[in-house]
Amino acid sequence: MKNSQGLLIFILAVGVFGIINTEMGVIGILPDLAEYFDVSVSTAGLLVSLFALAIAIAGPTMPLVFSGMNRKHVMIMVLTIFIIGNIISVFTTNFTVAVISRVIPAFFHPVYVSMALSVAGASVSEKEAPKAISKVFIGVSAGMVLGVPIVSFIADAISVQAGMAFFAIVNIFTLIATIILVPSMPVTERLSYGSQLKILTKGITWLSILAVLLINAAIFGVYSYLAEYLGTVTNMSSNLISIMLLVYGLANILGNIIAGRLLSESPIRTVTIFPIALITLYLIFYPVAELTVPTAMMILVWGILGGIGANINQYWIMSAAPKAPDFANGLFLTAVNLGTTIGTAAAGMIISQIGTREILFVGVAALIAGFIFIVLRNTLYKTAA
């Protein structure tokens, strides 16, 4: 039984890696795609921004629509849609077709990811659920961090089409594994749409969403400009920046593992302390940002905290609505994507108006606000630590 649970979680993690990699992997080859489709780099950026916008729109709705269907059948359907979109992206030379072939699958992104997190959590006891979910989050981290250099390397070594084909190959592998190895997962207790939507009438849900939005704004608003930060403030070479980004990514994966244990043992305490820990890191980072070795140490710790933060975000919204897991995970995806958008926009304004070094204070401000919402939830809706 334990082996079958482990295999299921592994397939879910690889599936999430493929879905997230389809979203993030193009970041490393945007200049190549701009040249390939004969458009500007900013126009090529639509391949990323419109994908993220589709996720934010679909997050609360699409998981709700499919919440009553057999989960294996839904996963097969979503993976098939992604594979078709990936294959069209490989062979088309028309930019508009390429955008459409990415945006349509993006609407199904929250369906697969929210379902994967729900299935992982439901495959074990309630106490062990954070550990199981943290293993799926390794796929999220790998898709966000390792997928970019892998696709970039393939594109440089072979061709842009080969880089794009990598998305399809991972999704095809997951589809085959899902068909052969994942058992049928019919929904035994189908929740009505009304009963799931009812969680939006509860204060605990909105306090959780606001806290998660702000925490993700604090993490990704700053992380989005990490390469720029290391180049202009720390004066690192491009090769060293690449190494630092990889360090952050690997530390992120370690953070996922640590988070699974912390959230299993003392979830409320972990969530409450997290913003204080990250504020402390940013305030220490600011005065040493021009020094290479201390900056490298900060990035290592920051990467670990980033991985913990991703798990905290999912746990915080999920624990506010445990009876509607698919819908709650959809809300989580919308909250983190909106947080990333808002944080990145705020940090971009700080860079243009004040300077790159000061973006750390965007993170600090967002964390202070997020901490207030965490304390409010803890005070109004008391839960065991």
Side-chain angles (χ1 to χ4, degrees):
M1 181 72 177
K2 196 164 184 180
N3 287 342
S4 64
Q5 285 171 353
L7 181 62
L8 174 62
I9 290 169
F10 174 74
I11 293 168
L12 294 172
V14 174
V16 168
F17 168 76
I19 300 288
I20 300 287
N21 188 43
T22 299
E23 176 188 3
M24 304 295 290
V26 300
I27 289 173
I29 56 171
L30 273 182
D32 302 310
L33 289 169
E35 187 180 338
Y36 179 73
F37 289 112
D38 194 22
V39 296
S40 67
V41 173
S42 60
T43 301
L46 291 171
L47 293 167
V48 179
S49 58
L50 290 180
F51 198 107
L53 181 62
I55 295 169
I57 293 167
T61 53
M62 293 294 274
L64 188 66
V65 170
F66 292 97
S67 60
M69 291 178 60
N70 186 304
R71 290 173 169 187
K72 178 175 180 174
H73 297 164
V74 175
M75 288 178 179
I76 289 170
M77 178 197 74
V78 174
L79 289 166
T80 303
I81 291 168
F82 264 81
I83 290 164
I84 292 167
N86 293 153
I87 291 170
I88 292 170
S89 296
V90 172
F91 292 105
T92 187
T93 53
N94 183 296
F95 183 71
T96 304
V97 173
V99 169
I100 293 168
S101 71
R102 278 178 58 78
V103 169
I104 291 173
F107 281 102
F108 293 87
H109 170 295
V111 178
Y112 189 94
V113 176
S114 67
M115 206 165 274
L117 296 171
S118 301
V119 168
S123 70
V124 294
S125 68
E126 189 178 337
K127 185 172 171 53
E128 292 295 307
K131 287 184 184 176
I133 291 167
S134 73
K135 290 172 184 173
V136 175
F137 264 108
I138 291 173
V140 175
S141 295
M144 292 181 69
V145 184
L146 302 181
V148 174
I150 290 170
V151 173
S152 183
F153 173 78
I154 294 169
D156 288 341
I158 308 171
S159 68
V160 175
Q161 294 100 311
M164 298 286 276
F166 177 70
F167 306 146
I169 291 165
V170 176
N171 288 321
I172 289 167
F173 169 81
T174 312
L175 176 64
I176 294 167
T178 302
I179 291 168
I180 297 172
L181 301 171
V182 173
S184 178
M185 292 183 286
V187 175
T188 51
E189 292 181 39
R190 181 170 182 174
L191 298 169
S192 69
Y193 295 151
S195 66
Q196 294 185 74
L197 287 167
K198 198 174 179 183
I199 70 171
L200 291 175
T201 64
K202 296 182 179 177
I204 188 172
T205 304
W206 288 104
L207 287 173
S208 304
I209 287 170
L210 289 167
V212 166
L213 188 151
L214 288 159
I215 287 173
N216 220 58
I219 297 170
F220 280 94
V222 182
Y223 172 72
S224 296
Y225 298 101
L226 180 55
E228 165 76 9
Y229 197 94
L230 295 176
T232 58
V233 180
T234 318
N235 290 316
M236 286 186 178
S237 66
S238 57
N239 285 343
L240 191 52
I241 290 171
S242 296
I243 292 168
M244 288 298 100
L245 291 172
L246 185 62
V247 166
Y248 181 94
L250 295 172
N252 215 264
I253 292 170
L254 177 60
N256 286 317
I257 298 165
I258 294 169
R261 292 177 183 170
L262 291 174
L263 289 170
S264 293
E265 290 163 12
S266 51
I268 305 302
R269 194 174 295 120
T270 299
V271 176
T272 308
I273 291 171
F274 178 80
I276 300 167
L278 194 51
I279 287 169
T280 304
L281 178 95
Y282 283 165
L283 293 178
I284 294 171
F285 193 178
Y286 184 80
V288 301
E290 292 176 3
L291 306 172
T292 302
V293 174
T295 293
M297 292 168 65
M298 292 295 109
I299 287 169
L300 176 64
V301 179
W302 184 16
I304 293 170
L305 286 174
I308 294 171
N311 286 263
I312 279 174
N313 286 339
Q314 190 273 343
Y315 171 84
W316 205 231
I317 291 182
M318 186 71 186
S319 62
K323 294 187 176 168
D326 293 336
F327 185 45
N329 280 320
L331 290 175
F332 151 70
L333 291 168
T334 295
V336 294
N337 275 280
L338 285 175
T340 297
T341 303
I342 293 166
T344 303
M349 286 171 61
I350 293 293
I351 288 171
S352 61
Q353 299 295 321
I354 306 172
T356 304
R357 188 170 189 165
E358 276 63 39
I359 61 172
L360 291 172
F361 292 107
V362 172
V364 171
L367 286 163
I368 291 170
F371 180 71
I372 291 168
F373 287 115
I374 289 168
V375 172
L376 273 172
R377 174 179 148 171
N378 288 346
T379 306
L380 297 172
Y381 306 93
K382 292 191 183 296
T383 316

